[in-house]
Amino acid sequence: MARFLIVEARFYDHLNDMLVAGAKTALETAGHDVEVLTVPGALELPGAIAMAAECGRYAGFVAIGVVIRGETYHFEIVAGESARGIMALTMDGIAIGNGILTVENEQQALVRADPAQKDKGGEAAKAALVLLDLQARFAN
């Protein structure tokens, strides 16, 4: 059993609730302990995960958030930089499942967040589990 931290950028409550539920179910079904940490937005996710990884209490992480395209360029910055930050941490060997949705509209987000539909929160948790297994495999 391992301890996982779900780090969520709580901006759209109803969407985050579904993503977190999917991630928690996947991790708990696999027999792991789960904690949830909330940050203001998707840009804060990589930094929060980096800080939490330094403490050594967590075997893996799931990044949860929703970025919906608006009328400005801000969407591209948030989507790209949050993904870049998560990828950089993953390349450093941290087991992170990326469950940050980057969508055109709320309807797309609803379909992807809903555990009964695309369950992207659950998929992100399963990706973190695979990376954790790979860490163990390559450590031996």
Side-chain angles (χ1 to χ4, degrees):
M1 177 186 344
R3 179 174 302 278
F4 279 81
L5 182 64
I6 297 171
V7 184
E8 65 159 337
R10 180 142 298 260
F11 197 79
Y12 300 99
D13 290 341
H14 63 299
L15 299 170
N16 274 53
D17 288 343
M18 289 188 279
L19 288 165
V20 169
K24 283 179 85 171
T25 297
L27 294 169
E28 290 170 349
T29 298
H32 300 291
D33 288 334
V34 179
E35 291 181 36
V36 178
L37 174 70
T38 302
V39 297
L43 289 175
E44 289 76 36
L45 288 167
I49 291 171
M51 287 181 237
E54 285 184 21
C55 80
R57 289 193 305 245
Y58 305 101
F61 302 87
V62 181
I64 296 291
V66 179
V67 184
I68 299 176
R69 185 179 301 277
E71 297 176 3
T72 69
Y73 185 72
H74 187 67
F75 170 86
E76 282 82 6
I77 293 169
V78 174
E81 291 302 309
S82 61
R84 185 195 59 76
I86 297 297
M87 183 55 69
L89 294 170
T90 303
M91 296 298 290
D92 285 341
I94 300 172
I96 305 171
N98 187 346
I100 304 171
L101 302 182
T102 53
V103 296
E104 296 293 326
N105 55 57
E106 185 176 349
Q107 183 57 40
Q108 288 178 347
L110 284 166
V111 170
R112 286 158 179 76
D114 186 351
Q117 294 184 62
K118 294 205 175 200
D119 192 22
K120 293 300 183 179
E123 286 183 13
K126 290 174 185 173
L129 290 169
V130 168
L131 290 172
L132 185 62
D133 286 344
L134 287 174
Q135 280 180 343
R137 177 180 175 187
F138 295 127
N140 295 324

